[in-house]
Amino acid sequence: MTAAAVVPAELDVLAAGGASSGALAAVEDAIDAVFTPVAEGLSAVVFAEIPLLGVSFPWIVGWLILAALIFTVYFRAPQFRNFGLAVRIARGRYTGDDEPGEIPHFHALTSAVSGTVGLGNIAGVGVAVTIGGAGATFWMIVAGLLGMCTKFVECTLGVRYREHHPDGTVSGGPMHYLRRGIAERFPSAFGRNLGKLLAGLAAVFILFFGVAGGNMFQANQTFAQLSEVTGGEAGVLGGDGAALVFGVVLALVVGLVIFGGIRSVGRVTSRLVPAMALVYVVACLTVLLVNLPLVPAAVGAITSGAFTGAGVAGGVIGALIVGFQRAAFSNEAGLGSAPIAHSAVRTRHPATEGYVALLEPFVDTVVICTMTALTIVVADTPYWREAQAAAVAGQDPAGVTVTSSAFETVLPWFPYVLTFAVALFAISTMITWGYYGQKAWTYLFGRSTLSERIYQVVFCLFVVIGSVLTLGAVLDFADAVLFLLALFNIIGLYLLAPVVKEEVAAFRAARRSGEVVEMAPAERRATTRT
């Protein structure tokens, strides 16, 4: 997920300060002073911890994992039974170019994945295996597998209740399925008003996080990493002037994409996401191959540590909770953000995109996060062991430096690879959240070319602001409102779960009747032309 949603205080990647000059620093301090009490109050509620067998964990994590478990049982584990079908649909074997929507299944998937894969997959996993030990990886995988079903539910609803516009574009997401879906299932004044209230809150929360956590944080951390590898304050990127220039350039890059809408976003992310995943996975595989004889022992440590929790904070329950927490914070399952991208897909059957969406937590958590964790465990650096001892003693956990130290055992130049990965992750996240925020903006303020352009200009301005200012309290507030969205979104998912069953049954019936036939994309295009 976006790095901001990995609880910023826990990540030592946040070495970048804000503005260094007097005037900008004063502005930053004034804004933080306004937001600090609000952010602290809201965070105290959203991330409040509840005790379980002597260990505390945020109730919002329990809310997300419980929903994932309930949906997995209710829908009979589609993430396991229909994984192959999901891959075939993503490859375009069940839908044609003539179906309603804007982008193919694969572009919808990569657009959504680009919003979840980020610094949290690098630094957040370092936190997980530091606090919870190797065993936290096992529970992170379990939570990721369960979260696949939540994505299946919310993205099916996203397509079912999307709105088609005269120009061929599409709007979808929790703003639409909460309003229209709840009113449809409960056709009363109470149902209509409840749907409108939940939809309005969802739009506000998504818009705020899109501008802050999905934008400013990414810009700030990208500049921080670039500045660090080029010599810090004494280097070529030292000072506010360099940050300003960097922000303008980054805003232009992001603006070129988001001004083109979801089709432009889909085209870019369909290339950017595989590229950034390949770069990172190759780096992980390099460490694993160099240490190949140690891999079986590392896998054993992950498995046994999940049920013993020896030497880590909280024991086995601590490993479980930390693993669940990192997975929930990483893949966004249940938060309602991903359905915005998935709703733009070309399909006549909403369930098809539900199946494609379940691949998203698999890529984000089961593959990328697990590769990071396995790399750390195999490298078994002195830095990681020291960080674990410090975590058990109650000190703040290390994050990105744990991960970086693991790579440096084999790749001493890895900080440069990490910088490249951070830049790719950040840009892809900003592009996707720019689109998410735009859909929330138009839901609240109306859909017109002028309205969209105003939002896009504002979004790009905040790229520049994020590069120069940190605004930590604003980002903390954005984190809290994003996860508060999960509370309202999942209530809606429970109420609308029977609708998803109807869509699944309809798609299965279409396959049985021959209405929907599996074909290679080229065959389907030829059939459409004739």
Side-chain angles (χ1 to χ4, degrees), residues 258-260 438 448-458:
I258 66 171
F259 270 70
Q438 178 174 315
S448 68
T449 301
L450 177 61
S451 177
E452 290 180 353
R453 291 293 181 259
I454 291 173
Y455 164 79
Q456 290 159 352
V457 170
V458 169

Side-chain angles (χ1 to χ4, degrees), residues 15 79 92 117 129-130 237 287 300 351 354 363 376 393 420 429 456 463 466 473 483 512:
Q79 65 268 55
V117 175
V129 296
T130 296
L237 295 180
V287 176
V363 173
I376 294 171
F420 183 61
T429 297
Q456 290 159 352
V463 174
F483 278 88
R512 286 194 301 268

